[in-house]
Amino acid sequence: MTPSRAQQIPVVVLAGFLGSGKTTLLNHLLRNRSGNRIGVVVNDFGSIEIDAMTVAGQVGSTVSLGNGCLCCAVDASELDGYLDTLTGPAVRLDVIVIEASGLAEPQELVRMLLASDNDRIRYGGLVEVVDAAEFPATHERHPEIGRHIRAADLVVLNKTDRVSGPELAAVHEAVAATGSRAAVVRSAYGRIDPGLLFDPVLGPDRDEGVRQLTFEDLLRETAGDHEEHLHTAYESVSFSSGVPLDPRRFMAFLDSRPQGLYRIKGYVDFGAGDPDHTYALHAVGGFLGFTPRPWTRDETRRTQLVLIGSGIDAEALHKELAACRDERQEPTEALERGMWGVLRYVRQPDGEPGPPDGP
């Protein structure tokens, strides 16, 4: 039996050309992990500078980072095996980040994840790190970077502290000219809010007024001035409805979701479309998936969604989602199964929607 979406571990691919700042961003995530246990997979080369520990091309090694996180240095062909190890119940990871080599083809890693038979993982998105200062010259020498950006679900314009306003605007235009529809956020020293990539985990000691100082706390204390403030350039929009959503209207909304809308998560009530199940929705970039779960006996039937993106219009999103309600149905009323049941729907990047598995 496939685990529920909540039990699956998101796997995020972190890519970018040599020197773009991938490892700096990864170190930032590890220092600001919001209570998560992170598994790090380094695709053949990398340097994770955590508490004087360095991993550099140690293929086949697994190193504990001392803060509940693990790091593996692997060849791409070994990826499935290490994901099997990292997703074991005893490891208790919350998220896995794969740092791709600066010369890697990130699309291949994404394809491997989407084709994986490991039912304990889900695709968490492709993050492409772009050096805002060097991008024009690098793109000219290596035009394949445009292909990588088009495949990305999130583009991080890093090192923005090194360019002027007009130069940064030109980089934005160059990224858009690749045909990318990804959300774009700006950063310096790789400082992005981890909330873009994974949800915070509230550990048991977080509720106590006094607790033991953790490794993460020590890293925050010694991180230096440039780690003091997180750069956040994204919005989070919440939507809740006691009236079931019309499946066709909601799918039309998802298929036309605006540029910059990076993640959607939550549960959807389709009412008469399938009165027996609520649907866990996971969307990141161009990937979209639903997983059904039976309603529990005393559960309130409603749709609850959180939408995360950059440059999104919260009011417009609320109106579009409200227009997806099926006003012919009464709130929270148990209805008979309709003629059209949405039992599973998956859209892969640049792919056609898979047919629903009906009764």
Side-chain angles (χ1 to χ4, degrees):
M1 181 176 179
T2 301
S4 70
R5 183 66 62 187
Q7 294 173 309
Q8 292 180 304
I9 302 172
V11 181
V12 178
V13 177
L14 181 61
F17 194 71
L18 294 168
S20 60
K22 298 187 302 297
T23 302
T24 302
L25 191 154
L26 178 55
N27 283 323
H28 167 75
L29 292 178
L30 290 169
R31 292 184 176 107
N32 300 275
R33 58 194 176 89
S34 303
N36 288 277
R37 290 172 58 88
I38 303 177
V40 178
V41 177
V42 180
N43 174 212
D44 79 6
F45 293 103
S47 174
I48 303 194
E49 300 171 352
I50 296 293
D51 199 30
M53 188 285 292
T54 300
V55 173
Q58 300 173 20
V59 176
S61 66
T62 300
V63 181
S64 172
L65 301 184
N67 62 344
C69 302
L70 296 174
C71 179
C72 303
V74 305
D75 183 85
S77 63
E78 301 172 316
L79 182 60
D80 261 342
Y82 274 87
L83 287 176
D84 284 342
T85 299
L86 291 174
T87 56
V91 183
R92 296 185 297 112
L93 292 179
D94 299 300
V95 62
I96 296 172
V97 179
I98 301 175
E99 182 187 0
S101 161
L103 299 176
E105 285 290 336
Q107 298 98 314
E108 291 304 314
L109 291 173
V110 172
R111 289 191 186 102
M112 290 176 68
L113 291 175
L114 294 177
S116 175
D117 293 329
N118 189 332
D119 58 9
R120 292 172 298 202
I121 65 170
R122 62 175 170 83
Y123 178 55
L126 169 60
V127 180
E128 181 77 13
V129 184
V130 171
D131 184 336
E134 300 295 333
F135 180 72
T138 302
H139 192 206
E140 184 176 352
R141 294 194 307 270
H142 303 279
E144 68 272 14
I145 292 176
R147 184 174 69 252
H148 299 172
I149 291 174
R150 282 196 301 276
D153 302 301
L154 176 69
V155 174
V156 178
L157 295 186
N158 195 31
K159 305 184 183 181
T160 55
D161 55 317
R162 294 180 50 193
V163 296
S164 66
E167 289 172 326
L168 185 57
V171 173
H172 265 283
E173 292 178 3
V175 167
T178 67
S180 170
R181 289 186 52 81
V184 178
V185 295
R186 304 177 182 182
S187 74
Y189 301 99
R191 301 192 307 269
I192 67 170
D193 195 307
L196 271 170
L197 306 181
F198 48 78
D199 301 325
V201 172
L202 187 63
D205 60 353
R206 301 283 176 177
D207 293 325
E208 300 173 6
V210 178
R211 60 182 176 83
Q212 184 178 356
L213 192 66
T214 66
F215 185 74
E216 182 180 3
D217 296 323
L218 293 174
L219 284 171
R220 289 176 184 271
E221 292 292 330
T222 60
D225 291 341
H226 64 266
E227 288 283 359
E228 290 181 0
H229 302 288
L230 298 181
H231 281 208
T232 59
Y234 77 97
E235 297 81 36
S236 176
V237 177
S238 297
F239 175 80
S240 180
S241 173
V243 177
L245 302 190
D246 179 273
R248 290 184 175 84
R249 289 186 211 161
F250 187 57
M251 296 311 305
F253 164 80
L254 292 174
D255 283 340
S256 62
R257 57 193 187 274
Q259 183 174 355
L261 183 54
Y262 173 58
R263 289 175 65 201
I264 308 176
K265 58 184 181 178
Y267 290 89
V268 184
D269 174 17
F270 286 121
D274 184 352
D276 299 323
H277 297 87
T278 181
Y279 285 79
L281 168 61
H282 163 63
V284 56
F287 177 84
L288 173 64
F290 283 102
T291 302
R293 172 181 66 76
W295 292 105
T296 60
R297 183 185 298 265
D298 299 322
E299 185 175 1
T300 300
R301 301 192 174 206
R302 62 187 304 106
T303 294
Q304 294 181 299
L305 297 171
V306 176
L307 302 89
I308 300 171
S310 175
I312 56 179
D313 186 332
E315 184 177 353
L317 285 174
H318 269 288
K319 288 181 179 178
E320 291 181 55
L321 286 168
C324 295
R325 295 176 189 162
D326 188 346
E327 300 293 351
R328 296 169 301 176
Q329 300 188 40
E330 293 294 329
T332 68
E333 183 179 13
L335 299 170
E336 294 297 321
R337 177 184 293 272
M339 293 295 293
W340 194 79
V342 183
L343 291 188
R344 184 156 178 86
Y345 177 98
V346 174
R347 179 185 296 280
Q348 297 183 4
D350 300 321
E352 292 299 318
D357 298 331

